[in-house]
Amino acid sequence: MSDIASLGDLRGKRVLVRSDLNVPLEQSGGTTTITDDGRIRASVPTIRQLADAGARVIVLAHLGRPKGAPDPAYTLEPVARRLGELLGKDVAFATDTVGESASETVAGLQDGDVAVLENVRFNEGETAKEDEIRSAFASQLAQLGDAFVSDGFGVVHRKQASVYDIALRLPAAMGDLVSTEVDVLRRLTEEPQRPYVVVLGGSKVSDKLGVIDNLLQKADKLLIGGGMVFTFLAAQGYEVGKSLLEEDQVETCRAYLEQAKERGVELLLPTDVVVDTVFPSGDREPQPSVVPASEIPADAIGLDIGPDSAAAFADALSDARTVFWNGPMGVFETEEFAAGTRAVAEALTQVDGLSVVGGGDSAAAVRTLGIDEDAFGHISTGGGASLEYLEGKELPGIAVLERNIHG
Ligand code: ADP
Ligand code: MG
């Protein structure tokens, strides 16, 4: 595995580092505020490590989903400023990615300096499906540096110019953020300590089929809640009222229930559910009530697992040595429907072993519910990337480094 040390002495070298600085922004009255700078904070250690080693650090990153052309709504400028504050040093900002501003900014760097280039997705080459278009952009990027460090875990499952193609063109290494994530994911897939419990929730079962498929082969227990659970309850023959239901996945869920039985995997579904007659919004005070999972009224929407189920889930987690949790148990954004998610999150903090939280909304739930982040073994910075890894898919941004063509 090629880590930063494999790049040798970095003093005076121009090092391009791909970070994940894709933070949520709020625009109001002409000012932009970063509502959660977690990803910038997570990117600081590698950038600092490179600068401390005397490299001229050039940060590549994206923000949002601009359409392959400059769009002021998605400028990285405020992000670069915040990075400077966190690093405690001046950070130069280039107003383009491979244009004049970038060349001048890079040329002006001294050893140990840091620059951020404008949003890589302002160039259509970043996300192009066609290899030639991506390659051309990657070659331009590669001219700005002497080495490449991949540290944006949230994007390693993307075959994009600043993630994948660039690593074919420069001596390339994995940053510590990415290698930590990969180590944890390995521990979840290769000889996990048992009992191994997987908790899945979130909105749609169709997003998570691949993970369920793969983890049914590996886990001892599978606990299911969140919006996806109603498709499982329907597969069990229950009525689910107006709850989230993916009709076209009912058969698949039935097959999973069968498979779990055959493999001796304990598959736990909630026995009670918190319901309301409307989806929570600002318009009306929530009116939660608890019903048995087998008796959801026709006009009810299931919005959380009930208290009995929350206790049963916590109990099922109590002897676990390895836990992977993805997806909130309910609509945790509304306090009345947050108890199931809170119970699972708190149970994870008590695990004697490795507890991993994957998924953007699950990580956000931990933070908004005020649960100590340090009490978890690991909170992944990349939801999509960790799910794809656990599905058994190859992550292009990792594979390209492991092939280590320049090493
Ligand atoms: P993650 O980002 O952790 O992978 P998802 O994106 O799959 O999680 O799902 C998160 C969303 O699922 C949350 O916004 C939450 O409100 C929603 N959700 C959870 N339970 C339900 C439910 N019973 N009905 C509808 N939506 C739900
Ligand atoms: Mg999500």
Side-chain angles (χ1 to χ4, degrees), residues 201-204 207-208 226-227 230 244 279 302-304 326-333 358-363 387:
S203 40
K204 289 164 75 186
D207 289 348
K208 317 244 164 134
F230 300 99
L244 204 65
F279 198 86
L303 295 165
D304 193 12
N326 170 275
M329 295 293 100
V331 183
F332 73 94
E333 295 91 340
D361 291 291
S362 312
L387 287 182

Side-chain angles (χ1 to χ4, degrees), residues 195-214:
Y196 178 11
V197 185
V198 173
V199 190
L200 292 176
S203 40
K204 289 164 75 186
V205 72
S206 48
D207 289 348
K208 317 244 164 134
L209 294 174
V211 184
I212 299 174
D213 234 18
N214 216 292

